[in-house]
Amino acid sequence: MSLSLAAEFPRATEAQWRAAVDAVLKGKPFDKTLVGRTADGIAIQPLYPRVADAAPLAGRAGGAPWTIVQRADQPDPRDANVQALDDLTNGASGLAIVTRGAIGDHRGDGLVLDSLADLDQLLDGVMLDLIPLRVDAGTSAGHVAALLAAKVARDKLDPASLTMAFGIDPIGAFARRGTLENWNGAAAKAADMVLGLRKRGFAGTQVIADGRVIHDAGGSEAQELAFALGAAVQYLRVLEQAGLSLDEARRAIAVLVAADADQFLTSAKLRAIRQLWARVETACGLSPSRLELHAETAWRMTTKVDPAVNWLRTTMACFAAGIGGADHVTVQPWTAAIGLPDAFARRIARNTQLILIEESNLHRVADPAAGSGGVEALTSELCEAAWALFQDSERAGGVVAALSGGTIQVAVAKARLARQAAIAKRREPLTGTSEFPNIHELTPEVLHPVPRLANRQVAPVELPEAAKGERFEATVAAFDAGAFRAALSRPKTDTIFVDPLAPIRLAEPFEALRAALDAVTAKTGKRPQVFLAVLGPVAAFTPRATFARNLFEAGGFEAPIPEAFADGAGLLAAFKASGARIACICSSDELYATNAIPTAEALTTAGAAQTWLAGRPGEQEDALKSAGVGGFVFAGCDVIDCLNAAKAALGE
């Protein structure tokens, strides 16, 4: 006989919970206090009921782990091969080839693949029939696809036995680079590659709709979904016009999205793209099938300062992608923002996934978020928001037309600026960067590869214009004959120029401040200091002194909290002894009423080039400014503006 402890108590109701919450809020508005908002304006409620009739989404099969993908992104194929073999030997189950200039090449130092010999070096010892392979090559996707096709044919591998995502994505490359030489020509070239690969018998997917370009540039979740969906639909049209049936065309398309540290939004986003694609399939008269879904941990969330926090960010992102149903997951190494990751950083990236799969058994249940009230609500609302944006781009003539007209760039810029403002005011904290900084941390080691091809004199081979449907075959034949980066001659007219969606990292403004003050420290041998002028007993000044120290150290200053001073003379003596040019008064409102103005005047007389006050000034603002207080730091102030003003006061 089993007894349930919960059965011994009366069942709680939402009305009872709400009454208890209202009692705690004491008149504060519920919606403003407990309801959050996403970048798309979607409300995040504090409590959701279970969705009893929810069904799992058709995604990765329950019990099947996702592919643990490692990036092959070392500039030199020989070095990349060493890393790839180490990755595959020690737990990775797939590779992503990331070439120079690709969407995933955020630092600009990606893999260089020019010839079949380069590809042979990269894949030496890699058993292509045992692992999924994804290509991230931007405008060079066709070049890499032709290299792979030539290698498979020469090595007598069965294309049908290989799982390759060739990553052909002219729309994503257009969005990232800001240039496109004639969309009709680009679409024809992409279709030609797909037809050529399918004719050769390759399984897997040939084109990819890559949402990372939106996420990297600071876009919202709905914007990323709408862009990926719009690109996928445009590719569906292109392939249908090239002669494929809609059923064949949809199976040639994969989707790639960014996974960031917001667990619920990331899981909901991955679930939403499957539902959105199923909606498109239904509109095409097709029965929805399983979408091939890739995820990579977000570039924009990574930090250079306190980079070990990236372990936590990527773990949460990987967790969210796993339960969101991704088929293939790539974890960016924790030092990726600093430079080319070394063997240890790559090992951590692998092990993050291995632990979630092998120890946490995260993959055992198909769509574990199904029925969760919060995730189901987020999924549904993201679908509606993204579908509305998708319809907007369709009315504009498709996602390429929307990019050409700049409407996507404007919308992404608006979302980016709103997020950056929230970060500057620390409403969206970056742990280790804007909050809880460690100014004495050591920078981890990264690799410093020797630049390749510096002395290479081989010129690309220009091929004559080939007949429709034969361009890809001509390129493959050229590589098979030993050509170096063969290129098809085509008219370069009707080039479209737009604002590119350049990648950002959210921590960059704080990192720039830290770097500037680190340079001053290296030059002078002493870190610039903000003297915390604490007033009264410890209990009176500690909360604001702690706040001020956290704020100023986020910009690279040193701001130690002193012991309580016996009197004003002791405070001034300590200020002069510190050698600081900047001071910040810290205490309670009660002590500010009597002591803040004379303290500010005394600090100015003692040589303070700039004096701050921790807290809002209230009615004393004018008097405090007259006494020498130049600014106020408080919860909700623009921290970046404050830190830049403090840096300017150094006079260096």
Side-chain angles (χ1 to χ4, degrees), residues 86-129:
D86 181 62
D87 294 331
L88 294 170
T89 301
N90 291 287
S93 51
L95 290 177
I97 297 175
V98 184
T99 67
R100 189 74 53 89
I103 289 177
D105 180 30
H106 299 103
R107 294 184 308 272
D109 58 358
L111 177 67
V112 176
L113 283 181
D114 284 313
S115 64
L116 192 54
D118 291 337
L119 186 65
D120 284 336
Q121 288 179 340
L122 171 66
L123 298 177
D124 184 26
V126 176
M127 291 178 278
L128 293 176
D129 54 343

mmCIF file of all heavy atoms in Angstrom, residues 86-129:
data_model
loop_
_atom_site.group_PDB
_atom_site.id
_atom_site.type_symbol
_atom_site.label_atom_id
_atom_site.label_comp_id
_atom_site.label_asym_id
_atom_site.label_seq_id
_atom_site.Cartn_x
_atom_site.Cartn_y
_atom_site.Cartn_z
ATOM 1 N N ASP A 86 41.430 13.992 -31.965
ATOM 2 C CA ASP A 86 41.386 13.975 -30.505
ATOM 3 C C ASP A 86 39.945 14.106 -30.017
ATOM 4 O O ASP A 86 39.521 13.404 -29.090
ATOM 5 C CB ASP A 86 42.235 15.112 -29.950
ATOM 6 C CG ASP A 86 42.260 15.130 -28.433
ATOM 7 O OD1 ASP A 86 42.735 14.143 -27.833
ATOM 8 O OD2 ASP A 86 41.793 16.126 -27.839
ATOM 9 N N ASP A 87 39.165 14.985 -30.654
ATOM 10 C CA ASP A 87 37.760 15.161 -30.286
ATOM 11 C C ASP A 87 36.973 13.871 -30.478
ATOM 12 O O ASP A 87 36.223 13.433 -29.595
ATOM 13 C CB ASP A 87 37.120 16.269 -31.136
ATOM 14 C CG ASP A 87 37.696 17.645 -30.853
ATOM 15 O OD1 ASP A 87 38.138 17.874 -29.717
ATOM 16 O OD2 ASP A 87 37.698 18.480 -31.771
ATOM 17 N N LEU A 88 37.136 13.255 -31.648
ATOM 18 C CA LEU A 88 36.361 12.057 -31.965
ATOM 19 C C LEU A 88 36.787 10.863 -31.128
ATOM 20 O O LEU A 88 35.973 9.983 -30.824
ATOM 21 C CB LEU A 88 36.500 11.735 -33.460
ATOM 22 C CG LEU A 88 35.880 12.770 -34.411
ATOM 23 C CD1 LEU A 88 36.288 12.498 -35.846
ATOM 24 C CD2 LEU A 88 34.361 12.781 -34.277
ATOM 25 N N THR A 89 38.055 10.821 -30.752
ATOM 26 C CA THR A 89 38.540 9.727 -29.909
ATOM 27 C C THR A 89 38.014 9.858 -28.487
ATOM 28 O O THR A 89 37.841 8.857 -27.784
ATOM 29 C CB THR A 89 40.080 9.712 -29.883
ATOM 30 O OG1 THR A 89 40.559 9.564 -31.223
ATOM 31 C CG2 THR A 89 40.611 8.574 -29.032
ATOM 32 N N ASN A 90 37.724 11.082 -28.075
ATOM 33 C CA ASN A 90 37.398 11.329 -26.669
ATOM 34 C C ASN A 90 35.969 11.814 -26.449
ATOM 35 O O ASN A 90 35.714 12.564 -25.507
ATOM 36 C CB ASN A 90 38.388 12.340 -26.093
ATOM 37 C CG ASN A 90 39.779 11.762 -25.961
ATOM 38 O OD1 ASN A 90 40.044 10.939 -25.100
ATOM 39 N ND2 ASN A 90 40.682 12.186 -26.850
ATOM 40 N N GLY A 91 35.050 11.386 -27.302
ATOM 41 C CA GLY A 91 33.648 11.612 -26.983
ATOM 42 C C GLY A 91 32.821 12.348 -28.000
ATOM 43 O O GLY A 91 31.593 12.242 -27.988
ATOM 44 N N ALA A 92 33.427 13.139 -28.872
ATOM 45 C CA ALA A 92 32.640 13.819 -29.903
ATOM 46 C C ALA A 92 32.098 12.789 -30.886
ATOM 47 O O ALA A 92 32.748 11.781 -31.168
ATOM 48 C CB ALA A 92 33.480 14.857 -30.632
ATOM 49 N N SER A 93 30.901 13.045 -31.420
ATOM 50 C CA SER A 93 30.309 12.113 -32.388
ATOM 51 C C SER A 93 29.993 12.782 -33.719
ATOM 52 O O SER A 93 29.357 12.180 -34.578
ATOM 53 C CB SER A 93 29.030 11.496 -31.806
ATOM 54 O OG SER A 93 28.153 12.493 -31.303
ATOM 55 N N GLY A 94 30.434 14.034 -33.900
ATOM 56 C CA GLY A 94 30.236 14.730 -35.162
ATOM 57 C C GLY A 94 31.186 15.907 -35.270
ATOM 58 O O GLY A 94 31.786 16.333 -34.278
ATOM 59 N N LEU A 95 31.352 16.419 -36.479
ATOM 60 C CA LEU A 95 32.240 17.552 -36.732
ATOM 61 C C LEU A 95 31.493 18.637 -37.491
ATOM 62 O O LEU A 95 30.599 18.350 -38.289
ATOM 63 C CB LEU A 95 33.466 17.129 -37.552
ATOM 64 C CG LEU A 95 34.513 16.238 -36.895
ATOM 65 C CD1 LEU A 95 35.591 15.882 -37.915
ATOM 66 C CD2 LEU A 95 35.135 16.920 -35.683
ATOM 67 N N ALA A 96 31.908 19.887 -37.246
ATOM 68 C CA ALA A 96 31.441 21.023 -38.032
ATOM 69 C C ALA A 96 32.664 21.705 -38.634
ATOM 70 O O ALA A 96 33.538 22.172 -37.897
ATOM 71 C CB ALA A 96 30.661 22.005 -37.170
ATOM 72 N N ILE A 97 32.746 21.719 -39.951
ATOM 73 C CA ILE A 97 33.846 22.393 -40.646
ATOM 74 C C ILE A 97 33.507 23.881 -40.731
ATOM 75 O O ILE A 97 32.533 24.272 -41.386
ATOM 76 C CB ILE A 97 34.045 21.813 -42.057
ATOM 77 C CG1 ILE A 97 34.456 20.338 -41.975
ATOM 78 C CG2 ILE A 97 35.068 22.610 -42.831
ATOM 79 C CD1 ILE A 97 34.548 19.655 -43.331
ATOM 80 N N VAL A 98 34.278 24.717 -40.044
ATOM 81 C CA VAL A 98 34.010 26.160 -39.993
ATOM 82 C C VAL A 98 35.142 26.882 -40.717
ATOM 83 O O VAL A 98 36.258 26.971 -40.206
ATOM 84 C CB VAL A 98 33.885 26.662 -38.545
ATOM 85 C CG1 VAL A 98 33.511 28.140 -38.528
ATOM 86 C CG2 VAL A 98 32.854 25.840 -37.768
ATOM 87 N N THR A 99 34.870 27.386 -41.901
ATOM 88 C CA THR A 99 35.914 27.995 -42.721
ATOM 89 C C THR A 99 35.965 29.504 -42.521
ATOM 90 O O THR A 99 35.046 30.115 -41.965
ATOM 91 C CB THR A 99 35.699 27.687 -44.207
ATOM 92 O OG1 THR A 99 34.513 28.347 -44.655
ATOM 93 C CG2 THR A 99 35.588 26.192 -44.448
ATOM 94 N N ARG A 100 37.043 30.089 -43.013
ATOM 95 C CA ARG A 100 37.254 31.536 -42.927
ATOM 96 C C ARG A 100 36.100 32.280 -43.596
ATOM 97 O O ARG A 100 35.732 32.012 -44.720
ATOM 98 C CB ARG A 100 38.587 31.885 -43.596
ATOM 99 C CG ARG A 100 39.067 33.301 -43.430
ATOM 100 C CD ARG A 100 39.586 33.537 -42.022
ATOM 101 N NE ARG A 100 40.592 32.584 -41.592
ATOM 102 C CZ ARG A 100 41.909 32.733 -41.781
ATOM 103 N NH1 ARG A 100 42.366 33.803 -42.436
ATOM 104 N NH2 ARG A 100 42.759 31.833 -41.312
ATOM 105 N N GLY A 101 35.502 33.232 -42.863
ATOM 106 C CA GLY A 101 34.421 34.035 -43.417
ATOM 107 C C GLY A 101 33.036 33.453 -43.243
ATOM 108 O O GLY A 101 32.053 34.067 -43.675
ATOM 109 N N ALA A 102 32.913 32.294 -42.602
ATOM 110 C CA ALA A 102 31.604 31.678 -42.390
ATOM 111 C C ALA A 102 30.838 32.416 -41.293
ATOM 112 O O ALA A 102 31.399 33.209 -40.529
ATOM 113 C CB ALA A 102 31.777 30.210 -42.011
ATOM 114 N N ILE A 103 29.548 32.144 -41.179
ATOM 115 C CA ILE A 103 28.746 32.763 -40.123
ATOM 116 C C ILE A 103 29.302 32.397 -38.751
ATOM 117 O O ILE A 103 29.330 33.217 -37.837
ATOM 118 C CB ILE A 103 27.268 32.330 -40.256
ATOM 119 C CG1 ILE A 103 26.641 33.002 -41.479
ATOM 120 C CG2 ILE A 103 26.479 32.677 -39.003
ATOM 121 C CD1 ILE A 103 25.215 32.600 -41.756
ATOM 122 N N GLY A 104 29.795 31.171 -38.617
ATOM 123 C CA GLY A 104 30.348 30.744 -37.340
ATOM 124 C C GLY A 104 31.773 31.166 -37.086
ATOM 125 O O GLY A 104 32.319 30.912 -36.009
ATOM 126 N N ASP A 105 32.395 31.837 -38.061
ATOM 127 C CA ASP A 105 33.784 32.289 -37.912
ATOM 128 C C ASP A 105 33.781 33.691 -37.301
ATOM 129 O O ASP A 105 34.069 34.674 -37.958
ATOM 130 C CB ASP A 105 34.480 32.289 -39.276
ATOM 131 C CG ASP A 105 35.933 32.759 -39.187
ATOM 132 O OD1 ASP A 105 36.567 32.543 -38.141
ATOM 133 O OD2 ASP A 105 36.412 33.366 -40.165
ATOM 134 N N HIS A 106 33.490 33.764 -36.012
ATOM 135 C CA HIS A 106 33.284 35.061 -35.370
ATOM 136 C C HIS A 106 34.574 35.857 -35.196
ATOM 137 O O HIS A 106 34.552 37.083 -35.210
ATOM 138 C CB HIS A 106 32.621 34.853 -34.006
ATOM 139 C CG HIS A 106 31.290 34.189 -34.086
ATOM 140 N ND1 HIS A 106 31.099 32.853 -33.787
ATOM 141 C CD2 HIS A 106 30.081 34.658 -34.463
ATOM 142 C CE1 HIS A 106 29.825 32.539 -33.957
ATOM 143 N NE2 HIS A 106 29.184 33.614 -34.364
ATOM 144 N N ARG A 107 35.691 35.176 -35.033
ATOM 145 C CA ARG A 107 36.960 35.885 -34.816
ATOM 146 C C ARG A 107 37.677 36.198 -36.129
ATOM 147 O O ARG A 107 38.658 36.939 -36.140
ATOM 148 C CB ARG A 107 37.897 35.055 -33.925
ATOM 149 C CG ARG A 107 37.424 34.854 -32.501
ATOM 150 C CD ARG A 107 38.486 34.099 -31.704
ATOM 151 N NE ARG A 107 38.898 32.891 -32.387
ATOM 152 C CZ ARG A 107 38.317 31.705 -32.263
ATOM 153 N NH1 ARG A 107 37.285 31.572 -31.443
ATOM 154 N NH2 ARG A 107 38.745 30.655 -32.931
ATOM 155 N N GLY A 108 37.247 35.574 -37.226
ATOM 156 C CA GLY A 108 37.900 35.795 -38.507
ATOM 157 C C GLY A 108 39.156 34.982 -38.709
ATOM 158 O O GLY A 108 39.998 35.338 -39.538
ATOM 159 N N ASP A 109 39.305 33.876 -37.967
ATOM 160 C CA ASP A 109 40.512 33.049 -38.098
ATOM 161 C C ASP A 109 40.158 31.588 -38.360
ATOM 162 O O ASP A 109 40.841 30.681 -37.909
ATOM 163 C CB ASP A 109 41.376 33.160 -36.835
ATOM 164 C CG ASP A 109 40.620 32.754 -35.565
ATOM 165 O OD1 ASP A 109 39.411 32.422 -35.650
ATOM 166 O OD2 ASP A 109 41.228 32.781 -34.477
ATOM 167 N N GLY A 110 39.076 31.368 -39.123
ATOM 168 C CA GLY A 110 38.608 30.013 -39.362
ATOM 169 C C GLY A 110 39.496 29.205 -40.285
ATOM 170 O O GLY A 110 40.533 29.660 -40.785
ATOM 171 N N LEU A 111 39.052 28.004 -40.544
ATOM 172 C CA LEU A 111 39.787 27.030 -41.347
ATOM 173 C C LEU A 111 39.941 27.508 -42.798
ATOM 174 O O LEU A 111 39.023 28.082 -43.374
ATOM 175 C CB LEU A 111 39.028 25.706 -41.321
ATOM 176 C CG LEU A 111 39.540 24.537 -42.142
ATOM 177 C CD1 LEU A 111 40.874 24.039 -41.594
ATOM 178 C CD2 LEU A 111 38.509 23.403 -42.127
ATOM 179 N N VAL A 112 41.118 27.277 -43.365
ATOM 180 C CA VAL A 112 41.378 27.607 -44.760
ATOM 181 C C VAL A 112 41.391 26.312 -45.569
ATOM 182 O O VAL A 112 42.239 25.446 -45.358
ATOM 183 C CB VAL A 112 42.722 28.349 -44.922
ATOM 184 C CG1 VAL A 112 43.020 28.604 -46.397
ATOM 185 C CG2 VAL A 112 42.697 29.666 -44.151
ATOM 186 N N LEU A 113 40.437 26.172 -46.480
ATOM 187 C CA LEU A 113 40.339 25.000 -47.359
ATOM 188 C C LEU A 113 40.335 25.484 -48.793
ATOM 189 O O LEU A 113 39.337 26.032 -49.263
ATOM 190 C CB LEU A 113 39.055 24.217 -47.087
ATOM 191 C CG LEU A 113 38.985 23.320 -45.853
ATOM 192 C CD1 LEU A 113 37.636 22.628 -45.802
ATOM 193 C CD2 LEU A 113 40.110 22.299 -45.851
ATOM 194 N N ASP A 114 41.429 25.305 -49.491
ATOM 195 C CA ASP A 114 41.493 25.753 -50.879
ATOM 196 C C ASP A 114 41.464 24.595 -51.864
ATOM 197 O O ASP A 114 40.819 24.685 -52.900
ATOM 198 C CB ASP A 114 42.761 26.581 -51.097
ATOM 199 C CG ASP A 114 42.629 27.970 -50.523
ATOM 200 O OD1 ASP A 114 41.604 28.617 -50.767
ATOM 201 O OD2 ASP A 114 43.541 28.406 -49.814
ATOM 202 N N SER A 115 42.140 23.522 -51.542
ATOM 203 C CA SER A 115 42.293 22.440 -52.513
ATOM 204 C C SER A 115 41.861 21.116 -51.902
ATOM 205 O O SER A 115 41.620 21.005 -50.696
ATOM 206 C CB SER A 115 43.753 22.341 -52.954
ATOM 207 O OG SER A 115 44.565 21.981 -51.846
ATOM 208 N N LEU A 116 41.787 20.120 -52.760
ATOM 209 C CA LEU A 116 41.459 18.780 -52.292
ATOM 210 C C LEU A 116 42.533 18.265 -51.348
ATOM 211 O O LEU A 116 42.243 17.517 -50.402
ATOM 212 C CB LEU A 116 41.296 17.848 -53.496
ATOM 213 C CG LEU A 116 40.679 16.470 -53.237
ATOM 214 C CD1 LEU A 116 39.346 16.586 -52.519
ATOM 215 C CD2 LEU A 116 40.516 15.723 -54.553
ATOM 216 N N ALA A 117 43.762 18.685 -51.549
ATOM 217 C CA ALA A 117 44.842 18.290 -50.638
ATOM 218 C C ALA A 117 44.592 18.837 -49.238
ATOM 219 O O ALA A 117 44.858 18.165 -48.225
ATOM 220 C CB ALA A 117 46.185 18.785 -51.167
ATOM 221 N N ASP A 118 44.062 20.071 -49.150
ATOM 222 C CA ASP A 118 43.723 20.644 -47.846
ATOM 223 C C ASP A 118 42.652 19.800 -47.156
ATOM 224 O O ASP A 118 42.731 19.512 -45.960
ATOM 225 C CB ASP A 118 43.204 22.076 -48.004
ATOM 226 C CG ASP A 118 44.284 23.042 -48.440
ATOM 227 O OD1 ASP A 118 45.474 22.754 -48.212
ATOM 228 O OD2 ASP A 118 43.940 24.098 -49.007
ATOM 229 N N LEU A 119 41.621 19.427 -47.922
ATOM 230 C CA LEU A 119 40.540 18.625 -47.349
ATOM 231 C C LEU A 119 41.049 17.258 -46.916
ATOM 232 O O LEU A 119 40.642 16.735 -45.873
ATOM 233 C CB LEU A 119 39.404 18.481 -48.357
ATOM 234 C CG LEU A 119 38.146 17.779 -47.823
ATOM 235 C CD1 LEU A 119 37.489 18.611 -46.738
ATOM 236 C CD2 LEU A 119 37.149 17.530 -48.960
ATOM 237 N N ASP A 120 41.939 16.674 -47.699
ATOM 238 C CA ASP A 120 42.526 15.386 -47.322
ATOM 239 C C ASP A 120 43.282 15.499 -46.000
ATOM 240 O O ASP A 120 43.204 14.607 -45.145
ATOM 241 C CB ASP A 120 43.469 14.893 -48.415
ATOM 242 C CG ASP A 120 42.731 14.337 -49.629
ATOM 243 O OD1 ASP A 120 41.566 13.915 -49.456
ATOM 244 O OD2 ASP A 120 43.310 14.341 -50.721
ATOM 245 N N GLN A 121 44.012 16.588 -45.840
ATOM 246 C CA GLN A 121 44.736 16.785 -44.582
ATOM 247 C C GLN A 121 43.763 16.920 -43.417
ATOM 248 O O GLN A 121 43.967 16.345 -42.346
ATOM 249 C CB GLN A 121 45.614 18.035 -44.670
ATOM 250 C CG GLN A 121 46.834 17.873 -45.556
ATOM 251 C CD GLN A 121 47.659 19.145 -45.625
ATOM 252 O OE1 GLN A 121 47.174 20.226 -45.329
ATOM 253 N NE2 GLN A 121 48.915 19.011 -46.024
ATOM 254 N N LEU A 122 42.697 17.675 -43.624
ATOM 255 C CA LEU A 122 41.718 17.888 -42.556
ATOM 256 C C LEU A 122 41.060 16.583 -42.119
ATOM 257 O O LEU A 122 40.896 16.334 -40.922
ATOM 258 C CB LEU A 122 40.646 18.869 -43.030
ATOM 259 C CG LEU A 122 39.431 19.034 -42.101
ATOM 260 C CD1 LEU A 122 39.830 19.673 -40.784
ATOM 261 C CD2 LEU A 122 38.336 19.841 -42.783
ATOM 262 N N LEU A 123 40.697 15.746 -43.079
ATOM 263 C CA LEU A 123 39.900 14.553 -42.776
ATOM 264 C C LEU A 123 40.724 13.273 -42.752
ATOM 265 O O LEU A 123 40.159 12.176 -42.746
ATOM 266 C CB LEU A 123 38.765 14.430 -43.795
ATOM 267 C CG LEU A 123 37.758 15.595 -43.801
ATOM 268 C CD1 LEU A 123 36.717 15.397 -44.888
ATOM 269 C CD2 LEU A 123 37.084 15.737 -42.435
ATOM 270 N N ASP A 124 42.029 13.393 -42.707
ATOM 271 C CA ASP A 124 42.885 12.212 -42.647
ATOM 272 C C ASP A 124 42.569 11.405 -41.388
ATOM 273 O O ASP A 124 42.675 11.905 -40.270
ATOM 274 C CB ASP A 124 44.356 12.642 -42.638
ATOM 275 C CG ASP A 124 45.308 11.461 -42.674
ATOM 276 O OD1 ASP A 124 44.919 10.390 -43.192
ATOM 277 O OD2 ASP A 124 46.436 11.602 -42.164
ATOM 278 N N GLY A 125 42.166 10.162 -41.570
ATOM 279 C CA GLY A 125 41.853 9.303 -40.440
ATOM 280 C C GLY A 125 40.439 9.442 -39.918
ATOM 281 O O GLY A 125 40.028 8.699 -39.022
ATOM 282 N N VAL A 126 39.661 10.375 -40.454
ATOM 283 C CA VAL A 126 38.268 10.562 -40.034
ATOM 284 C C VAL A 126 37.379 9.644 -40.868
ATOM 285 O O VAL A 126 37.408 9.691 -42.102
ATOM 286 C CB VAL A 126 37.825 12.024 -40.219
ATOM 287 C CG1 VAL A 126 36.340 12.185 -39.883
ATOM 288 C CG2 VAL A 126 38.668 12.950 -39.349
ATOM 289 N N MET A 127 36.613 8.800 -40.212
ATOM 290 C CA MET A 127 35.738 7.856 -40.906
ATOM 291 C C MET A 127 34.395 8.530 -41.160
ATOM 292 O O MET A 127 33.522 8.579 -40.288
ATOM 293 C CB MET A 127 35.590 6.583 -40.091
ATOM 294 C CG MET A 127 36.877 5.761 -40.040
ATOM 295 S SD MET A 127 36.790 4.264 -39.044
ATOM 296 C CE MET A 127 37.074 4.958 -37.409
ATOM 297 N N LEU A 128 34.251 9.063 -42.360
ATOM 298 C CA LEU A 128 33.086 9.870 -42.693
ATOM 299 C C LEU A 128 31.786 9.079 -42.655
ATOM 300 O O LEU A 128 30.710 9.672 -42.496
ATOM 301 C CB LEU A 128 33.268 10.497 -44.076
ATOM 302 C CG LEU A 128 34.379 11.557 -44.191
ATOM 303 C CD1 LEU A 128 34.520 12.021 -45.637
ATOM 304 C CD2 LEU A 128 34.081 12.746 -43.286
ATOM 305 N N ASP A 129 31.873 7.767 -42.821
ATOM 306 C CA ASP A 129 30.648 6.967 -42.805
ATOM 307 C C ASP A 129 30.158 6.691 -41.392
ATOM 308 O O ASP A 129 29.093 6.086 -41.212
ATOM 309 C CB ASP A 129 30.851 5.655 -43.557
ATOM 310 C CG ASP A 129 32.041 4.860 -43.042
ATOM 311 O OD1 ASP A 129 32.885 5.447 -42.337
ATOM 312 O OD2 ASP A 129 32.129 3.660 -43.353
#
